[in-house]
Amino acid sequence: MQIQPRREGEEQPYWPAGPFKIRLPFVHYRWEMPETIQALVMFVVGLAMIPLLEKYLGMPYEAALAFTFIAGLGYMLPALLGVPLVPGWITPAIPVVILFLNGYEPGPDAIKALFALQIEVTLIFLILGVTGWGSKLVQVIPNSLKSGIIIGAGIAAMMGELKSGGRIDATPISLIIGSVVSAYVLFSLSFKNVIEQSAIARRIANFGMVPGMIVAMLVGWIVGEYPWPDIEWGITNPDFGLMAEYLVFSVGFPGWDVFLMAIPTALIAYVIAFGDIIVGRTLVERIDSVRPDEKIEVNVNRVHTVTAIRNGIHAFFAPWPGLAGPLWTAAHATVAERYAMGRKAMDSIYSGGGTFWITGMIALFCLPLVTMFKPVLPIALSLTLVLTAYICIMVGMEQLKNPTERGVAGIVAVTLAMPDPKSTVYAVIIGLALYFLIERPRLMGKHNPDDEFMFADPETKETEQKS
């Protein structure tokens, strides 16, 4: 129970604080046990950033672990400040960020580069959130370029896992089995039919990625692809002193040339993140329609502002290759599905999301959990990237309306997925050039969107005529 219960049909109680709405557990929302259980496993996805921190920033495990505590504080901010979305990384942008970091030596150079990138992402979210220009910016970006970026990010994620020497190549049995189980539970049409007939299947579906992750870890241990954990007891003791040696205050600030090189990657990350905001808002609107007992507010400007704050904290205190994103799609979808079951299942959308990441933060202090998952951290990262690749390619393809857009998006996607630190720059330039040269019915002068209908494929014409 909470001290301030919600009246039927009203918004969840809060303390007003300028543009934010503060909500605390037990005061403004109740504690949810299913999200507690799920977070005790899913928090390992946050730890999965450690291998990237070690490889691309050149830091030891103890410092990277301290970074995850800074990230854990950031994950709790949205529910605390009035955002009904379960936050995570800008996951589809990870391959693009890695391509950018490949242009710098691990260590001080890479840390400076990531700082520059994350500060730019912070400023983009802050400026567009405060001014409300965010939606306008995305509207003027050609559809083929947006879709190509999303598809290219998905291809790059998959190529990174499948390449020779990649994680799937090194540990194929556990990762392939885990990916198949996760994909079946999350996306399979046949499993959706099973859910309608089986209560057990519905319970499994409620845990999203967890079943696939647990299966992959067990298989990895059993077949010897990963060492058995050396479980330690006690409380985690992150080395914040060592962490400070890998911040810009110690390594120095980047030059203007680094900031300039980071701009294309920052813009691509924002476009991807804005797509996550749209997905999250759509999911919230869908469940809001079936739960008249609570009025849910999705303030896009507040989402932008909170995401900017999280990225700013990361830039100075824990540069993060995953960046700070507004939505963890898999976790948010799982929370939303349980919320739709009614008030008895979940009192408020904030109680679900808030409980999830507060538990995730508490789990970071549980040394037995951290040491148990330490050997299999690559599994959590790989499954996240494989599922992200599927979702990116699926969503990107859905948004393309005609063969011309598909062709341009394909070229952008392939260019973006190239293993070259400057591929993000090339992809944007090529995408814009092809849009003006190929897609526009009029190369010069005012562009009339109705002209595109003349050149659309027959299926698209028929669909739009019916609508």
Side-chain angles (χ1 to χ4, degrees):
M1 292 295 292
Q2 65 265 25
I3 296 175
Q4 298 184 21
R6 182 182 73 252
R7 294 182 180 179
E8 191 75 13
E10 294 185 356
E11 191 176 353
Q12 193 72 7
Y14 62 88
W15 293 333
F20 306 115
K21 295 182 176 181
I22 296 176
R23 293 183 174 91
L24 301 175
F26 305 112
V27 177
H28 302 108
Y29 60 81
R30 77 184 188 193
W31 195 262
E32 304 286 352
M33 285 308 300
E35 276 62 44
T36 300
I37 297 170
Q38 186 177 356
L40 290 175
V41 176
M42 293 298 288
F43 89 101
V44 71
V45 174
L47 292 176
M49 191 56 61
I50 290 177
L52 296 186
L53 291 167
E54 292 174 320
K55 180 177 181 180
Y56 294 101
L57 298 190
M59 63 176 58
Y61 173 84
E62 293 75 13
L65 178 62
F67 271 32
T68 65
F69 280 79
I70 304 300
L73 293 173
Y75 295 140
M76 295 190 294
L77 285 180
L80 173 67
L81 299 178
V83 175
L85 307 180
V86 179
W89 311 334
I90 309 180
T91 309
I94 291 176
V96 182
V97 174
I98 289 174
L99 287 173
F100 170 69
L101 291 178
N102 277 334
Y104 301 89
E105 285 292 324
D109 288 346
I111 292 169
K112 293 177 184 179
L114 188 53
F115 169 82
L117 172 62
Q118 202 139 27
I119 279 294
E120 290 175 357
V121 172
T122 299
L123 292 175
I124 291 172
F125 271 103
L126 185 62
I127 293 171
L128 298 181
V130 171
T131 61
W133 293 344
S135 58
K136 296 179 182 178
L137 174 64
V138 173
Q139 287 172 2
V140 302
I141 297 175
N143 190 52
S144 56
L145 180 57
K146 287 187 291 185
S147 297
I149 288 171
I150 294 173
I151 295 170
I155 294 174
M158 201 66 193
M159 288 173 60
E161 297 304 303
L162 292 173
K163 69 181 181 181
S164 177
R167 281 179 287 267
I168 291 181
D169 181 54
T171 55
I173 299 175
S174 56
L175 290 180
I176 290 175
I177 292 176
S179 297
V180 169
V181 172
S182 297
Y184 183 73
V185 171
L186 290 170
F187 307 120
S188 172
L189 297 178
S190 64
F191 187 68
K192 285 181 170 58
N193 291 329
V194 175
I195 291 174
E196 295 177 359
Q197 303 170 8
S198 170
I200 296 177
R202 283 194 293 272
R203 288 183 178 274
I204 293 174
N206 282 341
F207 290 100
M209 286 176 56
V210 171
M213 193 175 300
I214 291 176
V215 168
M217 291 174 178
L218 291 175
V219 171
W221 283 325
I222 291 171
V223 303
E225 289 185 339
Y226 292 92
W228 288 93
D230 181 15
I231 298 178
E232 302 175 20
W233 300 94
I235 299 175
T236 307
N237 185 24
D239 195 335
F240 290 102
L242 180 61
M243 180 193 81
E245 297 178 13
Y246 295 88
L247 304 178
V248 289
F249 306 111
S250 298
V251 303
F253 288 83
W256 288 110
D257 58 326
V258 180
F259 282 101
L260 290 174
M261 285 296 297
I263 290 174
T265 304
L267 291 174
I268 286 173
Y270 175 76
V271 171
I272 294 172
F274 190 84
D276 285 342
I277 294 175
I278 299 301
V279 171
R281 185 172 64 177
T282 302
L283 288 172
V284 170
E285 288 174 349
R286 182 175 64 83
I287 59 175
D288 192 30
S289 65
V290 300
R291 283 283 302 269
D293 60 285
E294 180 180 11
K295 179 183 177 183
I296 306 175
E297 178 197 29
V298 184
N299 186 311
V300 174
N301 291 336
R302 187 181 301 137
V303 175
H304 274 75
T305 305
V306 173
T307 306
I309 292 172
R310 290 176 56 217
N311 276 289
I313 291 172
H314 270 297
F316 286 101
F317 302 107
W320 200 247
L323 306 177
L327 183 74
W328 181 2
T329 307
H332 181 75
T334 302
V335 170
E337 286 298 321
R338 225 175 60 76
Y339 176 81
M341 296 178 184
R343 191 166 186 176
K344 289 185 178 180
M346 183 185 296
D347 179 59
S348 167
I349 191 68
Y350 295 98
S351 62
T355 300
F356 182 90
W357 272 126
I358 292 175
T359 303
M361 184 63 181
I362 294 172
L364 287 174
F365 287 95
C366 298
L367 188 59
L369 285 176
V370 172
T371 53
M372 181 177 70
F373 289 125
K374 182 179 177 180
V376 290
L377 290 181
I379 289 178
L381 180 59
S382 287
L383 291 184
T384 299
L385 291 173
V386 168
L387 296 175
T388 296
Y390 177 88
I391 294 171
C392 285
I393 294 171
M394 176 183 66
V395 171
M397 294 294 289
E398 281 181 347
Q399 295 178 357
L400 298 169
K401 301 174 184 176
N402 56 60
T404 306
E405 284 192 352
R406 294 179 197 124
V408 174
I411 297 297
V412 171
V414 172
T415 305
L416 184 67
M418 289 172 58
D420 187 319
K422 296 181 181 179
S423 63
T424 54
V425 180
Y426 299 149
V428 172
I429 294 173
I430 290 172
L432 290 173
L434 291 179
Y435 168 72
F436 283 101
L437 292 173
I438 297 177
E439 287 190 58
R440 287 173 63 95
R442 293 185 177 89
L443 184 60
M444 305 298 292
K446 187 176 180 181
H447 174 49
N448 182 6
D450 291 338
D451 291 343
E452 294 180 357
F453 185 73
M454 297 171 56
F455 302 96
D457 59 288
E459 184 179 345
T460 302
K461 288 184 179 181
E462 182 179 352
T463 302
E464 293 190 8
Q465 286 172 344
K466 289 181 179 179
S467 62

